[in-house]
Amino acid sequence: MILLAESGSTKTEWIFADKNSIIARCNTKGLNPYFVSSDDISTILQNEVLPIIDSNALTQIFFYGAGCSTLVNKNVIVSGFSKVFKLSNIEVDHDLMAAARALFHASKGIACILGTGSNTCIYDGSSIAHKTNSLGYILGDEGSGSYLGKQLLSAYFNKELPPSIAASLEKEYSISLEKVLETVYKKPFPNKYLASFSPFLKQNLDNKFIYNIVKKSFVDFFEKMILKLPNFEKHPIGFVGSIAYEYENILSEISKDFGMEITSIIKNPADELLKYHQHKCR
């Protein structure tokens, strides 16, 4: 039996399955080791995951998560699991590998993440052959939900938004400079807070100014994250994540402007990841 976890900065999707079918599934909060401890992880496992699975039948655990690109952070995840499961077969990898396997399985391509954060790589069918640096929501994350939120808030506080859009934003979010600065600089998960403004952008895409914010954010993503990859134009390209899914039309338009065509967009990679591992188990 397999326990598969696919974790972004916002939520973790858990699937308990055998080699043919799904037995149970649930969602918990995101388990990014930059923001949670091994004790936090073990508490969530005990309270929210263990009740829905048969731990005695479990033989393999696969965890894919944001922030799991370093050995130190992978060990945070493994330590959290080891407090709950007496199992040595625990594989931890980062969310970029999850995207690559979900999108391409054993084929080659450029795998991209556009969710709360952003990232991209060239996948050779089994491993990540080349990747650009992911600088996080402060220095990078172009095209992501947090990046979109930053552009909107910057335009608002610099009095660049059309008056009707500014009024709608104030009404929907009770926005103030003090609240935004406190949330971004003093409270946990500022990237998720910034990304929470994405639905407002989606609702107002018919406004040219808002449309251009979104379009420019995706142009920035391609210029910073895709065009830096070697021979990028020779590879198929796919996306995972809520932002890619919600803004599919604009994203497809931008990709064509750069001479590329998107082969697939997956909102949640967990199901395709499960297919990948079920096939490997056969």
Side-chain angles (χ1 to χ4, degrees):
M1 302 291 284
I2 295 170
L3 179 62
L4 172 73
E6 190 278 313
S7 183
S9 294
T10 304
K11 72 177 179 70
T12 303
E13 187 164 0
W14 302 84
I15 302 178
F16 182 59
D18 60 24
K19 64 181 181 179
N20 296 309
S21 60
I22 295 173
I23 310 302
R25 66 194 305 163
C26 70
N27 291 333
T28 66
K29 76 173 188 177
L31 299 179
N32 187 325
Y34 280 112
F35 303 120
V36 299
S37 67
S38 59
D39 286 338
D40 295 328
I41 294 166
S42 62
T43 297
I44 287 174
L45 287 169
Q46 289 278 8
N47 296 338
E48 302 182 54
V49 179
L50 268 182
I52 71 163
I53 72 171
D54 179 2
S55 59
N56 293 321
L58 188 60
T59 57
Q60 290 181 299
I61 296 173
F62 301 99
F63 184 95
Y64 296 88
C68 292
S69 58
T70 69
L71 181 60
V72 170
N73 283 358
K74 287 180 180 180
N75 285 338
V76 171
I77 302 295
V78 172
S79 176
F81 274 93
S82 298
K83 293 175 182 179
V84 178
F85 299 106
K86 305 306 177 186
L87 189 70
S88 60
N89 200 356
I90 302 172
E91 180 181 318
V92 178
D93 219 321
H94 52 98
D95 53 352
L96 198 52
M97 181 62 85
R101 287 176 172 173
L103 287 163
F104 299 109
H105 288 217
S107 300
K108 298 178 181 179
I110 294 177
C112 305
I113 296 172
L114 277 183
T116 302
S118 66
N119 210 339
T120 188
C121 72
I122 294 177
Y123 176 67
D124 66 9
S126 62
S127 61
I128 293 173
H130 191 92
K131 67 185 291 294
T132 51
N133 292 321
S134 178
L135 300 179
Y137 76 97
I138 293 177
L139 298 178
D141 273 352
E142 290 83 3
S144 69
S146 61
Y147 192 82
L148 289 168
K150 282 194 294 185
Q151 308 316 304
L152 177 66
L153 291 173
S154 176
Y156 172 77
F157 287 115
N158 286 313
K159 302 189 183 301
E160 297 168 350
L161 287 181
S164 61
I165 297 296
S168 296
L169 184 66
E170 291 166 351
K171 181 178 180 181
E172 186 164 341
Y173 288 90
S174 301
I175 197 168
S176 70
L177 181 60
E178 291 76 16
K179 178 183 177 181
V180 170
L181 293 180
E182 181 180 2
T183 305
V184 170
Y185 291 104
K186 292 185 177 181
K187 293 187 178 181
F189 307 112
N191 56 336
K192 291 198 290 185
Y193 171 73
L194 292 168
S196 72
F197 290 92
S198 175
F200 180 85
L201 290 163
K202 181 72 185 298
Q203 294 163 13
N204 291 279
L205 275 179
D206 56 343
N207 180 275
K208 186 176 180 180
F209 189 93
I210 294 297
Y211 182 89
N212 285 336
I213 285 179
V214 176
K215 183 176 180 179
K216 178 62 166 55
S217 295
F218 292 149
V219 169
D220 291 346
F221 172 80
F222 270 84
E223 290 181 344
K224 297 284 188 181
M225 306 292 283
I226 303 296
L227 272 58
K228 305 290 178 67
L229 295 169
N231 301 313
F232 69 89
E233 70 282 355
K234 295 181 180 180
H235 299 280
I237 183 170
F239 287 80
V240 303
S242 57
I243 296 300
Y245 183 83
E246 293 295 334
Y247 298 95
E248 178 178 358
N249 291 339
I250 303 177
L251 192 59
S252 296
E253 173 191 330
I254 299 303
S255 69
K256 290 176 182 177
D257 289 343
F258 284 99
M260 306 182 74
E261 188 164 350
I262 298 172
T263 57
S264 60
I265 293 178
I266 303 171
K267 185 176 183 180
N268 299 309
D271 287 288
E272 286 299 322
L273 263 179
L274 178 63
K275 291 177 186 177
Y276 170 85
H277 283 292
Q278 286 176 324
H279 179 75
K280 295 271 286 185
C281 289
R282 291 184 184 127

